[in-house]
Amino acid sequence: RETVDILGVNIDKITAEYALKKAERYVRTPGVSVIYTPNPEIVMAAYENPEFRKVLNEADMCTPDGIGVVYASRMIHNPVPERVAGFDLACGLLESISKTGESVFLFGAAPGVAETAKARLEEKYPGLKVAGTHHGYFKPEEEAEIVEEINASGASLLFVCLGAPKQEKWIHRNRERLRVNLCMGIGGALDVFAG
Ligand code: UDP
């Protein structure tokens, strides 16, 4: 893995195309892989919070999501090739699994949003299997049950959309219990998918 240290966060020096290839491999490979997509706001939050920084640095991939991260890498003369937006990477993955048959679980956003996103995405990506959905407003004691629901769905890919840093911390906390192959934290994506 070739990375650049931006304020303590290891950001992958990858193109969008390479990120998608690697993510597709993660989806097919047993064992939980984790992708975060830090934008400048997330990098700043991590700079101020060592615990959050550690969470980000334990991912398998951190994409440079935002031109500010790209500029920061150029300023320290260790440039990433280009911006790799988490949203675009998520769309690429959905397109790809709609053809290969793996399924996705949509977790996060207000009640009802993930269901609408499921319907929209199944329209947009014919063949896409959405194995399940769950909203993102739960009590701590409901967490284990949600993990069970995700595991029981048989999904290979999990989108966690709780906003940062909540989604990264959730993934970190539950990584050992999850049976999906790839977890991605992608903020407000479900709201966008739902339209
Ligand atoms: N959200 C959630 N549970 C929470 C807080 C937020 O599911 O406890 C959802 C919220 O409904 C929205 C997303 O997380 O869909 C956060 O989106 P935002 O654009 O704020 O996150 P960002 O992309 O900036 O990280």
Side-chain angles (χ1 to χ4, degrees):
R1 219 183 134 194
E2 206 185 332
T3 59
V4 49
D5 177 331
I6 307 283
L7 296 178
V9 179
N10 300 323
I11 303 286
D12 285 77
K13 296 173 72 176
I14 44 168
T15 61
E17 193 188 343
Y18 182 77
L20 179 57
K21 284 269 166 325
K22 212 165 162 190
E24 286 170 346
R25 195 166 343 118
Y26 287 148
V27 173
R28 293 191 304 261
T29 310
V32 182
S33 296
V34 172
I35 298 178
Y36 301 131
T37 64
N39 57 22
E41 218 179 318
I42 294 179
V43 171
M44 284 311 297
Y47 178 66
E48 283 158 11
N49 182 338
E51 205 182 309
F52 182 39
R53 193 155 70 228
K54 190 166 174 287
V55 166
L56 292 181
N57 285 336
E58 283 179 21
D60 297 281
M61 194 200 293
C62 276
T63 69
D65 186 352
I67 204 67
V69 179
V70 177
Y71 286 151
S73 73
R74 285 182 194 161
M75 277 191 299
I76 58 170
H77 305 291
N78 194 1
V80 297
E82 63 183 349
R83 176 179 181 216
V84 181
F87 184 79
D88 296 343
L89 180 57
C91 291
L93 267 177
L94 291 175
E95 164 101 53
S96 136
I97 67 167
S98 73
K99 293 177 181 130
T100 52
E102 290 90 2
S103 62
V104 61
F105 193 103
L106 308 175
F107 172 39
V113 173
E115 285 79 4
T116 307
K118 170 179 155 82
R120 293 276 156 81
L121 289 173
E122 284 171 345
E123 246 174 79
K124 188 169 173 204
Y125 300 103
L128 178 69
K129 289 185 206 142
V130 178
T133 60
H134 199 289
H135 66 80
Y137 294 85
F138 52 90
K139 300 191 194 89
E141 62 267 28
E142 290 166 341
E143 200 159 288
E145 216 173 291
I146 296 173
V147 171
E148 280 315 307
E149 197 177 321
I150 293 165
N151 288 342
S153 78
S156 303
L157 173 61
L158 172 63
F159 287 162
V160 183
C161 304
L162 307 173
K166 203 168 182 181
Q167 62 204 7
E168 290 82 6
K169 289 179 174 169
W170 188 93
I171 291 172
H172 189 77
R173 200 162 57 237
N174 292 291
R175 186 171 184 163
E176 298 301 317
R177 289 193 279 168
L178 285 164
R179 293 290 169 265
V180 299
N181 295 342
L182 174 59
C183 280
M184 255 185 98
I186 46 168
L190 290 182
D191 295 305
V192 180
F193 289 146

